[in-house]
Amino acid sequence: MKHIRNFCIIAHIDHGKSTLADRLLDATGTVTDREKQAQLLDSMDLERERGITIKSHAIQMDYVYNGEEYTLNLIDTPGHVDFSYEVSRSIAACEGALLIVDAAQSIQAQTISNLYLALENDLEIIPILNKVDLPSANIEEVTDDIVDLLGCKPEEVIPASAKTGQGIDEILSAIIERIPPPKGNPDESLQALIFDSVYNPFRGVETYFRVLNGEIKKGQHIKFMATGKSYYADEVGTLRLKQFPREVIKTGDVGYLITGIKEAKEVKVGDTITDSKNPTVNMIEGFEDVKPMVFAGIYPVDTEDYEELRSSMEKLQLNDASLVFVPESSMALGFGFRCGFLGMLHLEIIQERLEREFDMTVITTVPNVSYHAFSNKEPDTPILVNNPSDLPDPSKLNRVEEPYIKATVITKSDFVGSVMSLCIEKRGEITNQTYLTTERVELTFDMPLAEIVFDFYDRLKTVSKGYASFDYSPIGMRMSHLVKVDVLLNGNIVDALSALLHRDNAYDIGKKICEKLRELIPRQQFDIPIQAAIGAKIIARETVKALRKDVTAKCYGGDISRKRKLLEKQKKGKKRMRQVGNVEIPQEAFMAVLKLND
């Protein structure tokens, strides 16, 4: 056990984590020349196209140091804030972390929030200054920033370059010398933590785990403590580039387990695996529950695919535990799911993955939250409004209450003004302001949950140059002046685009939605009016002009009345067409309504 080291790599987006992981794999001889490729651990097509890490990846390396052989378990993690849940899971399975800071960009927000996550879990931090070969690198200045942040000595910061391979040997020796070996008792009954899982269509659910006490053998009778179900361990092994089956995985090591589970619901990330005959008494503390930031409906294009979409979502949830979903239905779109996401990028990625990995074509609706409506008849009984279409008629409506949250924003003192004005624009009321240090400020607001659903998170990152971190907790329902804004296309209400908005914002947002839809809806043979309405009152209108054939082209010269006759005839045809015409709404239109400020 003293020859095992478990560590993860944490950093802000684009600071060179995946490239550094490639260099470590090269230096330890884990990959052959044939298997080499840039960003090797980013195995998903989507990750390679966008150049971001979405999933954390575990891989085992062997390294000989001072004549002794060591086993290094590396977990490469995402850098984008929407996938911070992946990082928290990786950190739970490690004893140490490589904190990578780009020498040209210095310390960014995600670096700080991931660092706090790692420190809360008592990890040993090894600071690495990456990209020192760049002409724009500020080596001394950024080293001072790291020393201030961590309270370490300047000589403990390892200068490296993942591109040229500089400093890689120093990093490997620091991993072995500074990171403590795993603690645990090999003689106790089995206790292992599940930190990830993935669905394999041929073999069922593959579970990735870290053994804390005891050992797990092939063929052993095991039990999952959260669900209370027992299975046989058909295969256990370690994770190289491919899976290597082993007879036994001992204390402190990381591996995978195949039990032939076909139901995605039976595996919970953060669960404890134990021996079913001699179970452990203590369950490992799981991860914190994930807090969705954005809620949206996801519907199959063809209603018959509903069950297939459900099983696809469950398989995707195995691989991405931060996805939350419950069934719901809509008049226009049929049956689907109301899903919770961590941010707009997360929503896009989930939609892409459903289309690519499971061949599901889906429609995403405008994100929103749940409200309570009270009618005049029964002013004390709340009616739950999940969809704007559930809202009672305005004449029968007594009042509407919306969920409020207590939002905590931690930011650098330079950005206090812009963060405050953003929160006030979003109907927030500031309740507290505390200076944690001279540089860092904590701001507390009471604000409606509906306002943070759209683009609040993305705009907060923009106004604070990525430095603000954001957390929230619900504080109950409060009365609010809300109106239902309907979108009419060619006179027909499209319920998937309806939204409940505050009366003060309704006109502006209604106008913006109409303008956005005008750009995205393809032109037809007839004029398409796009209207935003509150009840029967139209508050904004745009028109998509018709494609028109020049019917008078054949009239060479001649009398004006002949041309007029032809144009009148065309006008009648267009009018009739408009009465029977159906307007198809492209998928981008649903997504674009979410990004009104772009």
Side-chain angles (χ1 to χ4, degrees):
M1 214 165 85
K2 65 175 191 293
H3 288 135
I4 297 176
R5 299 287 182 273
N6 299 319
F7 67 98
C8 59
I9 301 184
I10 54 178
H12 192 77
I13 190 165
D14 271 349
H15 279 206
K17 290 178 304 300
S18 302
T19 316
L20 188 85
D22 291 350
R23 291 294 82 75
L24 294 174
L25 295 176
D26 288 351
T28 53
T30 309
V31 288
T32 59
D33 285 349
R34 254 186 76 184
E35 295 165 327
K36 261 186 210 171
Q37 56 171 350
Q39 280 85 41
L40 184 73
L41 293 181
D42 293 351
S43 49
M44 221 187 290
D45 295 346
L46 214 58
E47 295 181 312
R48 305 193 75 81
E49 280 168 28
R50 293 183 178 231
I52 56 175
T53 307
I54 295 168
K55 282 291 302 155
S56 51
H57 295 269
I59 190 161
Q60 193 176 73
M61 308 179 279
D62 293 325
Y63 185 62
V64 179
Y65 180 69
N66 291 347
E68 293 190 33
E69 193 168 300
Y70 288 87
T71 302
L72 311 179
N73 289 311
L74 153 72
I75 303 179
D76 178 28
T77 61
H80 197 282
V81 65
D82 278 14
F83 307 110
S84 54
Y85 190 66
E86 289 283 331
V87 183
S88 70
R89 287 164 32 190
S90 310
I91 284 174
C94 294
E95 274 85 34
L98 303 184
L99 180 79
I100 298 180
V101 179
D102 185 330
Q105 295 182 47
S106 188
I107 293 167
Q108 306 272 315
Q110 201 55 29
T111 322
I112 297 174
S113 58
N114 287 343
L115 172 67
Y116 284 140
L117 266 178
L119 290 174
E120 276 167 28
N121 285 282
D122 293 333
L123 298 199
E124 179 63 39
I125 309 284
I126 300 176
I128 295 168
L129 189 61
N130 195 15
K131 306 194 185 178
V132 292
D133 59 317
L134 288 181
S136 57
N138 291 331
I139 298 173
E140 284 83 12
E141 199 178 309
V142 180
T143 306
D144 291 345
D145 288 351
I146 297 174
V147 171
D148 286 348
L149 182 68
L150 283 176
C152 61
K153 298 190 181 87
E155 55 271 17
E156 286 176 19
V157 181
I158 304 172
S161 164
K163 193 160 109 190
T164 61
Q166 176 191 339
I168 298 299
D169 293 335
E170 286 88 342
I171 292 172
L172 284 164
S173 50
I175 289 167
I176 290 164
E177 285 170 9
R178 294 196 214 168
I179 294 179
K183 296 182 181 70
N185 188 343
D187 306 325
E188 275 188 33
S189 55
L190 169 68
Q191 187 190 33
L193 168 78
I194 299 177
F195 67 87
D196 206 352
S197 51
V198 26
Y199 188 80
N200 178 332
F202 306 108
R203 311 199 63 182
V205 178
E206 296 173 0
T207 312
Y208 297 162
F209 63 86
R210 150 84 198 273
V211 183
L212 295 184
N213 291 312
E215 57 185 29
I216 184 166
K217 293 191 183 78
K218 185 179 175 180
Q220 184 175 352
H221 203 174
I222 55 163
K223 178 178 168 190
F224 285 14
M225 290 183 82
T227 56
K229 299 199 174 180
S230 299
Y231 309 94
Y232 280 100
D234 296 343
E235 184 181 304
V236 294
T238 51
L239 297 151
R240 299 293 169 103
L241 259 187
K242 299 185 180 66
Q243 294 170 337
F244 272 80
R246 294 277 166 91
E247 284 303 312
V248 61
I249 303 281
K250 297 197 162 138
T251 316
D253 216 344
V254 174
Y256 71 91
L257 162 75
I258 296 175
T259 50
I261 300 174
K262 288 282 183 281
E263 282 291 314
K265 289 196 286 283
E266 293 178 24
V267 180
K268 297 263 187 299
V269 168
D271 194 0
T272 310
I273 307 174
T274 187
D275 186 62
S276 61
K277 297 192 184 80
N278 178 17
T280 178
V281 198
N282 312 329
M283 221 172 140
I284 303 164
E285 289 295 314
F287 310 111
E288 58 195 76
D289 278 342
V290 58
K291 289 181 189 162
M293 299 274 178
V294 174
F295 298 88
I298 286 189
Y299 292 84
V301 170
D302 190 345
T303 329
E304 290 164 9
D305 296 340
Y306 174 69
E307 281 305 321
E308 206 175 315
L309 178 63
R310 179 195 288 274
S311 72
S312 303
M313 299 271 270
E314 282 174 357
K315 288 168 189 170
L316 199 55
Q317 197 176 27
L318 268 182
N319 202 234
D320 183 349
S322 49
L323 171 67
V324 188
F325 62 90
V326 290
E328 73 161 1
S329 62
S330 142
M331 275 166 59
L333 302 169
F335 290 104
F337 295 96
R338 166 146 300 279
C339 308
F341 305 96
L342 294 181
M344 296 306 293
L345 176 69
H346 191 207
L347 187 149
E348 275 178 50
I349 296 286
I350 292 286
Q351 196 181 324
E352 283 263 323
R353 285 183 71 182
L354 280 171
E355 287 183 6
R356 292 188 187 203
E357 292 171 31
F358 302 100
D359 291 332
M360 297 295 312
T361 7
V362 292
I363 292 173
T364 315
T365 64
V366 181
N368 61 3
V369 297
S370 302
Y371 300 91
H372 284 172
F374 295 85
S375 63
N376 287 326
K377 265 188 185 171
E378 299 172 357
D380 299 328
T381 318
I383 305 160
L384 191 65
V385 179
N386 274 329
N387 235 347
S389 53
D390 304 342
L391 194 73
D393 190 278
S395 57
K396 297 174 185 162
L397 198 62
N398 181 313
R399 65 186 191 281
V400 180
E401 291 183 355
E402 63 175 331
Y404 262 69
I405 55 159
K406 179 180 176 213
T408 310
V409 178
I410 298 178
T411 180
K412 284 186 75 173
S413 46
D414 314 0
F415 305 117
V416 171
S418 47
V419 169
M420 270 192 194
S421 55
L422 170 68
C423 291
I424 289 162
E425 179 196 329
K426 296 282 185 187
R427 298 193 283 136
E429 298 161 13
I430 186 156
T431 55
N432 199 356
Q433 176 177 355
T434 325
Y435 276 80
L436 304 172
T437 66
T438 49
E439 283 294 296
R440 291 163 60 75
V441 189
E442 182 180 52
L443 302 168
T444 316
F445 296 91
D446 286 355
M447 61 198 300
L449 181 60
E451 293 289 344
I452 69 163
V453 161
F454 270 103
D455 53 355
F456 176 76
Y457 209 36
D458 295 352
R459 283 185 60 200
L460 180 67
K461 289 283 164 216
T462 312
V463 299
S464 64
K465 297 189 180 165
Y467 273 100
S469 52
F470 171 68
D471 192 24
Y472 73 90
S473 54
I475 52 170
M477 310 293 278
R478 293 190 188 175
M479 196 179 131
S480 200
H481 292 291
L482 296 175
V483 288
K484 178 182 166 202
V485 176
D486 289 315
V487 175
L488 290 85
L489 276 189
N490 201 10
N492 303 322
I493 292 180
V494 184
D495 77 338
L497 287 173
S498 299
L500 279 177
L501 302 169
H502 195 265
R503 185 168 287 143
D504 300 348
N505 304 344
Y507 287 86
D508 287 349
I509 294 182
K511 191 167 189 309
K512 279 184 183 170
I513 290 176
C514 291
E515 284 169 2
K516 205 79 171 185
L517 287 173
R518 190 191 69 198
E519 294 164 20
L520 289 164
I521 288 175
R523 290 171 70 183
Q524 312 275 347
Q525 296 283 326
F526 52 91
D527 280 5
I528 307 169
I530 303 167
Q531 295 160 314
I534 299 175
K537 183 182 177 191
I538 304 293
I539 57 170
R541 171 181 170 136
E542 295 285 336
T543 309
V544 177
K545 286 289 177 202
L547 291 167
R548 297 184 63 162
K549 185 178 168 191
D550 187 0
V551 285
T552 57
K554 59 178 183 254
C555 299
Y556 183 71
D559 186 9
I560 183 67
S561 57
R562 281 183 60 209
K563 290 184 182 177
R564 173 76 48 236
K565 192 176 162 191
L566 283 170
L567 288 168
E568 285 299 323
K569 191 179 168 192
Q570 184 188 27
K571 199 166 163 187
K572 270 189 195 144
K574 297 272 183 220
K575 196 172 176 184
R576 196 166 62 247
M577 225 186 238
R578 202 182 120 186
Q579 284 162 354
V580 295
N582 231 344
V583 184
E584 283 286 308
I585 307 176
Q587 169 63 42
E588 296 85 65
F590 289 107
M591 289 301 287
V593 176
L594 323 181
K595 298 178 182 163
L596 291 176
N597 278 30
D598 291 2

